[in-house]
Amino acid sequence: MTGEIERESADYDVVIVGAGPAGLAAAIRLKELAAAAGRDIAVVVVEKGSEVGAHILSGAVIDPVGLDALLPDWRQDEDRPLTTEVTDDRFYWLHAGGATRLPNALMPPFMSNHGNFIGSLGTVCRYLAAKAEALGVEIYPGFPAAALLRDGEGRVTGIVTGDMGVGRDGKPKADFAPGMELRGRYTLLAEGARGSLSRQAIALFGLGEGREPQKFGLGLKELWQVAPDRFRPGLVQHSFGWPLDNGTGGGSFLYHFGDGLVSVGFVVHLNYSNPTLSPFEEFQRFKTHPLIRDTFAGGKRIAYGARAITEGGFQSVPRLTFPGGALIGCAAGFVNVARIKGSHNAILSGMQAAEAAFAAVAEDRRGDELSAYEAGWRTSAIGRDLRPVRNVKPLWSRFGTVAGIALGGLDMWTNSLLGLSLFGTLKHGKPDSDTLVPLADLPPGARKTYPKPDGVLTFDRLSSVFLSSTNHEEDQPVHLRLADPSLPVVRNLPVYGEPAQLYCPAGVYEIVYGDEAAKTAPRFVINAQNCVHCKTCDIKDPSRNITWTTPEGGGGPTYPNM
């Protein structure tokens, strides 16, 4: 319901979608540049979460280079959001019976975490939001951007926020309130990985042409309060291997920070091939490893969440600009998958886009492309961060975990020392939606089964979703749209066992089997109220049948400090 309703509107110089690190950095930089030039600039940020940080989830070990560039004095701020510096940096290869620690000397210097900070990216975003508001930026949480506004020439002229009070049948209820049109000279999309408007812009303007398909991982995370004798402040521990097999990419982390807090997480690359694999269950298995489980003895799990991560890197970054706007942060795919970091590049990209947008506004331009931003990122700190690791992901995918990581390490060293790669720039191949093999083609013994959770160290999905404080108004249209409602049962179920039941980390999708005696068919059920907005279904569905759209404002998880 975007075009047929009379809507209120407001005009700005720059409209920003998403109050993550990229969007907030762009807002701050725009205001700083305007103040330095002695002029004003109207900037608005809309955020679909109920509050800033509510939908932010990251590990997170944060490279401070972005914060240092944006707010040089942040370390002296008594309210600074990051206080735990990395003191111990470890890397392990896990196998079923134990673990092998890899010497730090095997990895190039840029892989070191010393000098980085452990903390909550949500807390960083709340800090940035306060800075932005102090500069005069308008920030509106609980207002999802539902559609792009475009003029008669196809240029983006802003966004429409989502309607409120629409019933499940799509009709206005008694409390209906139409969304607003927020019009801007330029619109910056900072929605994170697989954002709904970013996806539309990439398709509308052909931004992915000539680039490799974007690749993704699913990151799952729990936050624990651990016993004092298990806490190692400043410890960063990364691992790969068990419980995933050699042909399935992924990794894991433990970060000790704050007042007895440990972030534990697990990432599964979404180009996995086994349709019976459950990323959530693999995460729970990981915690039972001898190297891991003792950390949580006597502890308490206090939060859970999941989020898709862009992993395509340098060769998958789309064209960043389109008439009237640009992609920034994870919407552009600026995650360094080898370093498991992206927030620093998100901040830097927000700043670069802001500088291009401010120059355009100062020249009284509107609706054109911010070409300086697109032209400059590859030779900037972002490009210098992503280019040396560009082959890590395709080598891993092509040769498996053991050989792929070894070759990726060699490639990073040659890039670091010689500025070149023995492999050139490798391609990723097909998108993640096309990598599952049919059940009939699985080798004997490959079908996965998982043990029941114990409720102490391992848990089920529904109790985990409860910890995410996820909530959606039930009487609203289902925001997970099926292009063909028959495909889950007609195609996905017989060919793949309907993998949405397994790849979704929140129990959104299930097959309800009919009464055999009554000859009723199985039904595909969408429990949309459970959705934690990870976007995995939009990425991994083998029929490319599911589209994630924004639900009613404020819906979804409410992460405390994830």
Side-chain angles (χ1 to χ4, degrees):
M1 301 179 65
T2 55
E4 70 277 12
I5 300 171
E6 186 175 341
R7 302 179 184 277
E8 294 183 9
S9 64
D11 293 322
Y12 297 88
D13 291 306
V14 181
V15 176
I16 300 172
V17 180
L24 293 168
I28 290 169
R29 186 62 178 148
L30 283 163
K31 285 292 189 178
E32 288 177 337
L33 291 167
R39 62 174 296 162
D40 192 22
I41 188 168
V43 181
V44 65
V45 179
V46 294
E47 163 57 40
K48 66 183 175 67
S50 58
E51 59 186 35
V52 173
H55 291 178
I56 297 294
L57 184 143
S58 183
V61 173
I62 296 175
D63 184 336
V65 63
L67 275 175
D68 289 343
L70 180 67
L71 301 170
D73 297 328
W74 74 271
R75 297 169 193 253
Q76 286 73 53
D77 193 333
E78 62 180 12
D79 296 323
R80 66 179 185 145
L82 300 172
T83 58
T84 303
E85 294 191 52
V86 175
T87 58
D88 193 358
D89 188 13
R90 303 183 181 189
F91 200 68
Y92 289 91
W93 172 46
L94 302 185
H95 35 95
T100 301
R101 183 174 178 182
L102 303 184
N104 289 28
L106 287 178
M107 286 167 274
F110 60 72
M111 291 293 290
S112 172
N113 281 299
H114 290 287
N116 296 330
F117 289 81
I118 312 171
S120 157
L121 188 59
T123 301
V124 171
C125 289
R126 286 187 281 272
Y127 174 80
L128 293 177
K131 296 294 185 184
E133 288 182 319
L135 292 170
V137 175
E138 296 179 32
I139 302 177
Y140 296 113
F143 286 86
L148 294 170
L149 283 174
R150 301 173 70 197
D151 65 14
E153 298 178 20
R155 299 176 299 187
V156 171
T157 57
I159 58 100
V160 182
T161 64
D163 298 329
M164 304 285 282
V166 179
R168 199 172 186 88
D169 59 2
K171 297 178 180 179
K173 298 186 293 187
D175 61 347
F176 174 75
M180 284 187 64
E181 292 184 355
L182 301 180
R183 299 183 174 275
R185 293 171 179 260
Y186 298 97
T187 301
L188 303 182
L189 301 181
E191 301 171 289
R194 200 68 168 194
S196 54
L197 295 192
S198 305
R199 186 182 181 193
Q200 290 177 36
I202 290 169
L204 280 170
F205 298 104
L207 304 183
E209 293 176 6
R211 270 70 167 178
E212 282 297 290
Q214 186 58 264
K215 306 295 285 184
F216 296 90
L218 172 61
L220 306 105
K221 175 183 173 181
E222 294 174 353
L223 186 65
W224 285 68
Q225 186 80 51
V226 299
D229 61 337
R230 311 287 172 165
F231 185 53
R232 304 288 182 268
L235 171 62
V236 166
Q237 182 173 299
H238 292 111
S239 51
F240 66 96
W242 190 91
L244 300 177
D245 59 41
N246 189 59
T248 304
S252 40
F253 62 82
L254 267 79
Y255 304 149
H256 295 239
F257 72 105
D259 186 13
L261 296 175
V262 172
S263 290
V264 55
F266 196 79
V267 177
V268 176
H269 299 176
L270 287 178
N271 61 354
Y272 68 83
S273 61
N274 189 335
T276 67
L277 182 145
S278 165
F280 177 87
E281 299 293 351
E282 297 292 344
F283 177 30
Q284 300 307 308
R285 286 182 68 203
F286 157 73
K287 290 185 294 177
T288 67
H289 190 276
L291 182 70
I292 309 302
R293 64 188 177 209
D294 289 348
T295 300
F296 305 109
K300 180 182 180 182
R301 188 177 72 145
I302 58 177
Y304 165 81
R307 189 70 172 88
I309 306 164
T310 54
E311 293 187 340
F314 190 85
Q315 54 269 59
S316 294
V317 174
R319 193 171 87 244
L320 300 179
T321 59
F322 48 86
L327 307 172
I328 61 177
C330 286
F334 285 139
V335 171
N336 184 318
V337 70
R339 298 182 66 205
I340 323 176
K341 291 173 181 60
S343 59
H344 62 301
N345 286 335
I347 291 172
L348 293 172
S349 71
M351 294 176 67
Q352 291 177 24
E355 289 160 6
F358 179 78
V361 171
E363 295 171 1
D364 200 28
R365 291 158 44 197
R366 66 170 62 239
D368 59 340
E369 293 206 24
L370 301 171
S371 56
Y373 172 47
E374 165 64 21
W377 76 267
R378 289 176 182 81
T379 56
S380 75
I382 299 172
R384 293 192 297 272
D385 186 57
L386 295 183
R387 184 172 172 79
V389 302
R390 67 192 183 279
N391 289 326
V392 170
K393 169 73 172 179
L395 286 169
W396 196 337
S397 301
R398 190 173 302 183
F399 295 104
T401 297
V402 175
I405 286 182
L407 290 170
L410 172 64
D411 192 61
M412 287 191 292
W413 269 113
T414 61
N415 274 280
S416 177
L417 296 175
L418 305 175
L420 56 85
S421 168
L422 300 176
F423 303 99
T425 299
L426 296 175
K427 295 184 176 182
H428 289 302
K430 52 192 176 183
D432 295 332
S433 57
D434 297 352
T435 61
L436 291 178
V437 301
L439 289 172
D441 294 341
L442 286 176
R447 293 198 182 203
K448 289 182 171 288
T449 58
Y450 297 99
K452 290 184 178 180
D454 61 19
V456 178
L457 177 62
T458 60
F459 303 91
D460 62 22
R461 282 184 285 186
L462 293 185
S463 65
S464 299
V465 172
F466 177 79
L467 279 183
S468 72
S469 299
T470 293
N471 182 61
H472 295 87
E473 166 62 46
E474 290 199 29
D475 187 16
Q476 65 171 301
V478 174
H479 66 279
L480 303 155
R481 310 284 174 83
L482 300 180
D484 183 344
S486 70
L487 284 181
V489 170
V490 172
R491 178 176 186 263
N492 285 2
L493 182 59
V495 178
Y496 302 106
E498 184 41 87
Q501 300 178 96
L502 296 172
Y503 61 61
C504 174
V508 169
Y509 302 103
E510 60 179 323
I511 293 289
V512 176
Y513 288 89
D515 186 324
E516 189 173 341
K519 297 184 179 180
T520 53
R523 292 184 298 114
F524 186 63
V525 176
I526 302 176
N527 303 302
Q529 66 273 18
N530 288 1
C531 179
V532 294
H533 298 198
C534 74
K535 319 289 180 63
T536 304
C537 55
D538 194 299
I539 298 163
K540 188 60 178 172
D541 177 40
S543 296
R544 303 189 194 182
N545 191 44
I546 303 173
T547 299
W548 189 97
T549 65
T550 53
E552 193 168 286
T558 304
Y559 296 135
N561 52 351
M562 294 284 272

